[in-house]
Amino acid sequence: MEVGQMQRRWVDYTKSLFLEGILDGQFLQLQQLQDESNPDFVVEVVSLFFEDSEKLLNDLTRALEQPSVDFKRVDAHVHQFKGSSSSIGAQRVKNACIAFRNFCEEQNTDGCVRCVQQVKQEYYLVKNKLETLFAMEQQIVAAGGSIPILELSF
Amino acid sequence: MEACNCVEPQWPADELLMKYQYISDFFIALAYFSIPLELIYFVKKSAVFPYRWVLVQFGAFIVLCGATHLINLWTFSMHSKTVAIVMTTAKVLTAVVSCATALMLVHIIPDLLSVKTRELFLKNKAAELDREMGLIRTQEETGRHVRMLTHEIRSTLDRHTILKTTLVELGRTLALEECALWMPTRTGLELQLSYTLRQQNPVGYTVPIHLPVINQVFSSNRALKISPNSPVARMRPLAGKHMPGEVVAVRVPLLHLSNFQINDWPELSTKRYALMVLMLPSDSARQWHVHELELVEVVADQVAVALSHAAILEESMRARDLLMEQNIALDLARREAETAIRARNDFLAVMNHEMRTPMHAIIALSSLLQETELTPEQRLMVETILKSSHLLATLINDVLDLSRLEDGSLQLEIATFNLHSVFREVHNLIKPVASVKKLSVSLNLAADLPVQAVGDEKRLMQIVLNVVGNAVKFSKEGSISITAFVAKSESLRDFRAPEFFPVQSDNHFYLRVQVKDSGSGINQQDIPKLFTKFAQTQSLATRNSGGSGLGLAICKRFVNLMEGHIWIESEGPGKGCTAIFIVKLGFAERSNESKLPFVTKVQANHVQTNFPGLKVLVMDDNGVSRSVTKGLLVHLGCDVTTVSSIDEFLHVISQEHKVVFMDVCMPGIDGYELAARIHEKFTKRHERPVLVALTGNIDKMTKENCMRVGMDGVILKPVSVDKMRSVLSELLEHRVLFEAM
């Protein structure tokens, strides 16, 4: 596949992510921060996000498996996760976290368990999509092209 | 006569005979009565007597016998019947008892006799044991002596002490008159008297080694008695009527290090022995005992071992001394070499500068002079000066280059350059020279030769120039052709360069340049010499053309540095020659072309440094948002420090930080309290950094709280670049911002 075609594919894919609401404007901001002095900024931040999220999700799951759930802790974790995901621009994850926090305030265990599943789902979805995106970027760079800059208007 | 029951004696009383009988009976009775008394007395005295009741029996027997004889006394004269009856009873009893005793004795006497034999046997045994005890004691003493001797011998590693001690101790232990050691000489044909006990400085007696007595001693590992008259035993002149004491000789193996094989120890393969001779004191009638001989043998072995240890030690000391000497010598040599290298480098460094400066002056001024009005003679002179100084400059450069090349300190200057222009320039340079000689120069560059390449342009040009220059120099007529193309794998391998293995890769290509001339050609055997320094073919033609002979050597070095190969082919004198070289160059990077009609804008990202060097401190416990915020600020040119906890924050905060972004939603931390503490810390307003709260909450209460604790601003996470930029500019301008929601 030739470079131009790959770039077009990348653009389409990215646009789809935004249209589906998986990513929001914050992700664009991150892309804007990537430059020659910081060529892997986005990948680094996203990897950091993945690491953090794995840990947080494990902690959350374990905390909710306890016989008596410590809602304060759960809330703290969800707060963290909400912060991370909003910094990345993972919109759907962030929204799921917001819903989760409400259940925490109500101290509704069942609701929380359901939310954890939801959050996990959203997280894995965005992780999958982002990994695909990065793979495409790598292909473009390997073929000698450069990643185009998107400017989407919201 | 009245009838008395008297018994008449047997025969008439013969007066004398009767008297004697009477007396004897009396004494017999006496004796018979005293014997049991004695027996009882002595048996009572003795502790052990097993047959007491036999004694009783015997006593009874004797008493009765005595009684019989006593009663007999009365029968010599007229006696009554009572007496006769008593007599008879006594006799009967005696008979009974004596028969019983006789019968008893049959049993007892063999026992008594066997006791005797046992006693004899035990005595013999005791004597034997005594003897053996004596033997053991002697052996023990011998052992003690040996141990003591060994200890003395082995307590030193000095050969002389060992031998001297051996002789002294042996002499003492065995009370010898004389003890001597004969060592083999260097030639191995004689034994020399080396050490003696009594004589202090033995004069060098020598004895040939192949005497029968010596051979006999050497062939056995036992101590052998030898005649006192043999040459080895006759050390002092015999004075008078000495009856010389017995002499014993034993061999002492002189072991070398090589004798100690692991498996068979010790194989006495060299068979070098010393002879130890021991003499008992004369006139003492002492004889050599077996245990003494054994002692001597053991000592001889120990001495052998001790001597070999001493020898080994000597060897190793000698080796060590030698090594030390060598070490010192090597050190000195190394230092000298280093000094020499340093001197040479200094020299070169100085020369480099000192020589070039005047050269430069000469060349510059001569060329300037060339530009002025000159007469033809003057012009000729100036041109000669110029030519000579050019040559000299080239020579200086070549020498300096070569020495740097040899050092390995020369490094190629890799850069992107125009390959085609290199060849064109060489062509331009060489054309005038060639046309003077009426030579035509043609340049062919292959179509697939890249225009741009990565490598050392200067050195490449030097190589090409040198090769082409040689071609021109050695051709008197004809043409020169220069061809350059990208070498494919078939043309890369040259059978003459078996160690040249070019490796194809995507980033590099091999440039092959062939320069063919129709000049004088070269002999096949001269070809290898071409590339050696200062070597020149001695033909007249070449002598006249000048040159130091360094050019090709330098070219070869450069080509090697470029991982290539250079060689010359020629079919012989007068048939011209072709110089070929291959060097490795890199492909120049392609320029970035991204033509995308779909994307709205393609802009090169350049760093926007709106706030260059602004020192900012970011506190956030969430790793992801921390790095995002940091990335934002770095993109704007700030100098960002990040902390993730209060402690770190307090540790790091200083007056240098102009702006502080803190996440006030950090769990377990009251961001507001922290702000209050910062206010305490920095009392003066202009010292205090601008405090901005980062939060995900946008409610009114948050805003109020922030205002209350003295925050200068509140920003809602997540922040965009533009937002951050405007925030920072406002903050720095007004030092207050509460609108960034």
Side-chain angles (χ1 to χ4, degrees):
Chain A
M1 201 187 297
E2 142 307 294
V3 173
Q5 211 175 339
M6 282 197 264
Q7 285 170 331
R8 273 193 295 279
R9 267 186 68 210
W10 183 89
V11 169
D12 289 345
Y13 192 77
T14 316
K15 279 198 185 153
S16 74
L17 290 179
F18 286 113
L19 286 174
E20 286 172 41
I22 298 177
L23 296 175
D24 63 10
Q26 179 62 13
F27 191 73
L28 279 179
Q29 294 291 326
L30 287 185
Q31 284 189 327
Q32 275 194 27
L33 296 177
Q34 184 161 296
D35 53 22
E36 287 123 22
S37 64
N38 220 345
D40 293 326
F41 180 70
V42 180
V43 176
E44 277 168 20
V45 174
V46 172
S47 314
L48 193 57
F49 170 68
F50 287 156
E51 268 176 46
D52 257 4
S53 309
E54 301 285 344
K55 248 187 294 177
L56 276 173
L57 285 173
N58 284 338
D59 288 348
L60 269 174
T61 320
R62 237 177 304 135
L64 283 174
E65 280 169 1
Q66 302 295 325
S68 71
V69 179
D70 185 357
F71 282 103
K72 274 212 178 330
R73 269 193 72 197
V74 171
D75 187 38
H77 287 319
V78 176
H79 177 77
Q80 283 273 334
F81 205 17
K82 178 170 148 251
S84 313
S85 50
S86 65
S87 302
I88 286 285
Q91 193 177 29
R92 286 190 9 190
V93 179
K94 180 184 81 180
N95 292 339
C97 286
I98 296 176
F100 198 155
R101 287 195 82 190
N102 291 336
F103 281 114
C104 282
E105 276 176 30
E106 295 167 10
Q107 304 213 346
N108 182 346
T109 314
D110 287 346
C112 287
V113 168
R114 261 181 292 135
C115 272
V116 158
Q117 293 309 318
Q118 181 87 357
V119 165
K120 274 194 187 168
Q121 224 178 309
E122 293 302 332
Y123 164 72
Y124 286 124
L125 177 66
V126 79
K127 180 169 179 197
N128 206 351
K129 296 281 188 185
L130 281 173
E131 280 172 355
T132 317
L133 194 71
F134 291 142
M136 278 204 250
E137 286 181 8
Q138 273 179 346
Q139 274 182 340
I140 295 178
V141 169
S146 67
I147 317 293
I149 314 296
L150 282 180
E151 279 211 340
L152 305 173
S153 54
F154 279 100
Chain B
M1 172 111 59
E2 54 195 36
C4 62
N5 283 339
C6 313
V7 177
E8 286 285 330
Q10 305 299 84
W11 39 77
D14 198 334
E15 290 293 327
L16 201 63
L17 280 172
M18 294 307 293
K19 255 203 194 93
Y20 281 135
Q21 272 193 3
Y22 194 82
I23 295 168
S24 318
D25 269 333
F26 178 69
F27 275 113
I28 287 170
L30 205 65
Y32 274 20
F33 280 134
S34 60
I35 285 173
L37 288 171
E38 285 168 18
L39 273 174
I40 290 168
Y41 175 73
F42 283 114
V43 166
K44 266 213 165 55
K45 280 277 177 174
S46 88
V48 172
F49 193 76
Y51 302 112
R52 267 181 207 250
W53 64 277
V54 167
L55 213 63
V56 166
Q57 217 171 6
F58 205 65
F61 165 60
I62 290 195
V63 162
L64 282 169
C65 278
T68 316
H69 282 283
L70 190 67
I71 296 169
N72 221 19
L73 285 176
W74 272 269
T75 56
F76 283 115
S77 53
M78 282 276 261
H79 51 275
S80 61
K81 208 155 189 115
T82 346
V83 174
I85 290 172
V86 169
M87 180 75 197
T88 321
T89 343
K91 274 207 178 139
V92 165
L93 278 172
T94 313
V96 166
V97 175
S98 50
C99 286
T101 313
L103 283 171
M104 197 63 55
L105 280 176
V106 170
H107 290 288
I108 287 175
I109 288 183
D111 271 350
L112 287 175
L113 282 177
S114 77
V115 165
K116 256 307 175 183
T117 34
R118 237 182 279 148
E119 189 189 316
L120 205 65
F121 174 70
L122 281 169
K123 239 192 244 154
N124 283 344
K125 257 281 183 263
E128 210 179 288
L129 280 168
D130 266 334
R131 270 203 302 280
E132 272 181 23
M133 257 280 281
L135 249 146
I136 288 173
R137 225 182 269 132
T138 346
Q139 270 178 350
E140 215 260 349
E141 265 206 34
T142 314
R144 223 171 2 94
H145 282 300
V146 168
R147 269 198 300 282
M148 188 252 313
L149 263 165
T150 313
H151 177 74
E152 290 294 324
I153 290 171
R154 299 283 283 270
S155 63
T156 166
L157 283 171
D158 174 43
R159 170 186 275 259
H160 295 284
T161 321
I162 290 173
L163 292 169
K164 257 285 184 244
T165 316
T166 313
L167 297 180
V168 163
E169 291 298 326
L170 265 179
R172 209 156 46 87
T173 311
L174 297 171
L176 298 172
E177 173 173 4
E178 180 61 89
C179 184
L181 192 70
W182 299 76
M183 302 281 275
T185 56
R186 243 170 235 292
T187 56
L189 296 173
E190 288 180 328
L191 283 178
Q192 189 182 27
L193 180 63
S194 318
Y195 302 92
T196 58
L197 184 58
R198 308 286 172 204
Q199 295 168 292
Q200 283 312 311
N201 294 317
V203 185
Y205 291 117
T206 54
V207 163
I209 207 170
H210 290 295
L211 291 179
V213 62
I214 296 179
N215 279 338
Q216 195 192 7
V217 175
F218 278 179
S219 56
S220 153
N221 62 348
R222 322 246 10 221
L224 298 173
K225 294 205 187 98
I226 60 174
S227 155
N229 293 326
S230 47
V232 289
R234 236 186 308 123
M235 276 168 290
R236 304 177 296 150
L238 291 174
K241 46 179 167 50
H242 282 252
M243 181 61 193
E246 287 195 344
V247 181
V248 147
V250 71
R251 71 176 187 190
V252 180
L254 295 173
L255 300 166
H256 282 273
L257 189 59
S258 53
N259 287 123
F260 289 91
Q261 319 290 333
I262 307 290
N263 292 325
D264 31 275
W265 178 71
E267 267 307 307
L268 302 168
S269 43
T270 51
K271 296 207 171 51
R272 272 190 75 201
Y273 301 111
L275 190 72
M276 192 152 61
V277 175
L278 305 109
M279 283 190 283
L280 286 178
S282 33
D283 283 348
S284 68
R286 238 183 79 188
Q287 295 235 319
W288 281 101
H289 296 189
V290 170
H291 69 268
E292 289 172 344
L293 291 178
E294 280 172 7
L295 179 75
V296 168
E297 283 158 23
V298 167
V299 169
D301 275 336
Q302 288 298 321
V303 167
V305 172
L307 281 178
S308 51
H309 282 189
I312 290 172
L313 182 72
E314 263 177 47
E315 275 282 334
S316 66
M317 297 287 280
R318 215 157 14 97
R320 190 187 63 134
D321 286 338
L322 196 65
L323 275 172
M324 264 177 31
E325 261 175 63
Q326 275 180 345
N327 226 11
I328 291 173
L330 278 171
D331 216 16
L332 193 64
R334 183 178 59 92
R335 262 177 293 149
E336 278 175 14
E338 276 178 6
T339 325
I341 289 177
R342 259 201 304 269
R344 188 200 65 170
N345 286 345
D346 287 341
F347 171 75
L348 281 177
V350 165
M351 281 291 128
N352 192 10
H353 185 254
E354 298 302 324
M355 287 204 291
R356 287 203 171 138
T357 318
M359 277 321 310
H360 183 72
I362 294 172
I363 292 175
L365 291 174
S366 324
S367 41
L368 279 178
L369 193 56
Q370 225 180 9
E371 309 282 319
T372 63
E373 287 283 333
L374 293 170
T375 68
E377 294 146 10
Q378 284 174 324
R379 189 160 289 278
L380 197 61
M381 281 189 246
V382 171
E383 273 171 11
T384 317
I385 293 176
L386 209 49
K387 223 185 341 173
S388 314
S389 39
H390 269 299
L391 276 171
L392 191 57
T394 318
L395 180 64
I396 292 172
N397 285 340
D398 281 354
V399 167
L400 288 168
D401 265 348
L402 196 63
S403 57
R404 263 196 310 152
L405 277 171
E406 294 194 318
D407 263 353
S409 60
L410 189 81
Q411 278 176 332
L412 295 176
E413 292 156 24
I414 310 288
T416 315
F417 63 95
N418 191 324
L419 192 56
H420 288 233
S421 64
V422 167
F423 286 105
R424 274 197 285 273
E425 207 172 306
V426 169
H427 190 210
N428 290 339
L429 277 172
I430 212 70
K431 253 206 306 220
V433 181
S435 60
V436 163
K437 287 178 98 170
K438 303 227 179 10
L439 299 164
S440 65
V441 183
S442 61
L443 174 64
N444 294 317
L445 299 177
D448 62 351
L449 195 69
V451 177
Q452 303 269 0
V454 177
D456 190 335
E457 182 186 9
K458 191 171 78 144
R459 305 281 162 52
L460 181 64
M461 186 152 18
Q462 213 171 332
I463 297 171
V464 178
L465 202 55
N466 203 307
V467 168
V468 172
N470 276 348
V472 168
K473 219 190 312 180
F474 291 107
S475 305
K476 286 213 246 343
E477 59 193 357
S479 64
I480 316 266
S481 80
I482 310 172
T483 342
F485 52 93
V486 175
K488 299 289 181 295
S489 43
E490 320 83 51
S491 55
L492 276 176
R493 298 277 285 115
D494 177 53
F495 67 91
R496 260 169 298 203
E499 62 281 338
F500 182 54
F501 293 112
V503 173
Q504 299 276 29
S505 87
D506 279 339
N507 300 333
H508 297 101
F509 67 97
Y510 283 91
L511 169 72
R512 184 175 162 128
V513 176
Q514 280 171 207
V515 178
K516 191 163 159 53
D517 69 56
S518 56
S520 41
I522 304 171
N523 269 327
Q524 283 291 338
Q525 57 259 41
D526 285 338
I527 289 186
K529 275 194 279 176
L530 284 172
F531 293 99
T532 55
K533 284 190 297 182
F534 308 121
Q536 297 204 50
T537 52
Q538 291 297 321
S539 56
L540 270 174
T542 55
R543 286 285 276 296
N544 282 337
S545 47
S548 60
L550 277 180
L552 277 177
I554 293 187
C555 280
K556 186 171 164 79
R557 295 273 188 326
F558 282 145
V559 167
N560 285 340
L561 270 178
M562 295 188 195
E563 296 177 49
H565 190 60
I566 180 169
W567 70 98
I568 293 195
E569 290 168 10
S570 172
E571 295 178 27
K575 300 213 177 68
C577 65
T578 313
I580 309 171
F581 68 88
I582 301 178
V583 288
K584 184 168 154 180
L585 296 172
F587 285 113
E589 265 164 47
R590 317 227 182 98
S591 48
N592 278 333
E593 312 145 34
S594 37
K595 330 177 244 302
L596 271 188
F598 290 93
V599 178
T600 49
K601 259 197 222 177
V602 175
Q603 65 184 44
N605 264 340
H606 54 275
V607 177
Q608 301 171 342
T609 55
N610 300 61
F611 309 97
L614 177 69
K615 265 182 117 47
V616 180
L617 183 61
V618 172
M619 180 172 84
D620 192 333
D621 70 329
N622 185 320
V624 176
S625 51
R626 199 168 56 231
S627 30
V628 170
T629 316
K630 178 175 177 177
L632 258 179
L633 292 166
V634 163
H635 186 75
L636 295 174
C638 303
D639 177 7
V640 185
T641 323
T642 57
V643 295
S644 55
S645 70
I646 291 271
D647 295 341
E648 252 186 292
F649 175 80
L650 288 172
H651 201 67
V652 170
I653 185 76
S654 73
Q655 281 190 17
E656 291 178 2
H657 296 106
K658 293 278 173 271
V659 186
V660 170
F661 289 95
M662 62 170 75
D663 183 348
V664 295
C665 310
M666 279 164 52
I669 295 165
D670 190 357
Y672 308 120
E673 193 215 36
L674 182 59
R677 281 175 59 186
I678 294 176
H679 270 280
E680 288 166 20
K681 189 168 174 187
F682 299 93
T683 45
K684 301 199 202 59
R685 198 156 194 267
H686 64 266
E687 278 176 5
R688 184 169 56 80
V690 177
L691 298 174
V692 183
L694 285 171
T695 171
N697 289 333
I698 43 166
D699 50 344
K700 198 159 179 250
M701 208 184 71
T702 317
K703 196 168 159 190
E704 277 176 12
N705 280 338
C706 291
M707 278 175 71
R708 196 164 36 85
V709 299
M711 296 272 204
D712 300 308
V714 180
I715 305 183
L716 177 64
K717 280 203 288 190
V719 196
S720 71
V721 177
D722 295 340
K723 177 73 69 57
M724 185 60 90
R725 197 182 295 130
S726 59
V727 159
L728 280 176
S729 39
E730 258 216 61
L731 276 173
L732 292 172
E733 235 183 326
H734 304 291
R735 282 197 75 86
V736 76
L737 168 84
F738 266 98
E739 300 299 321
M741 296 294 184

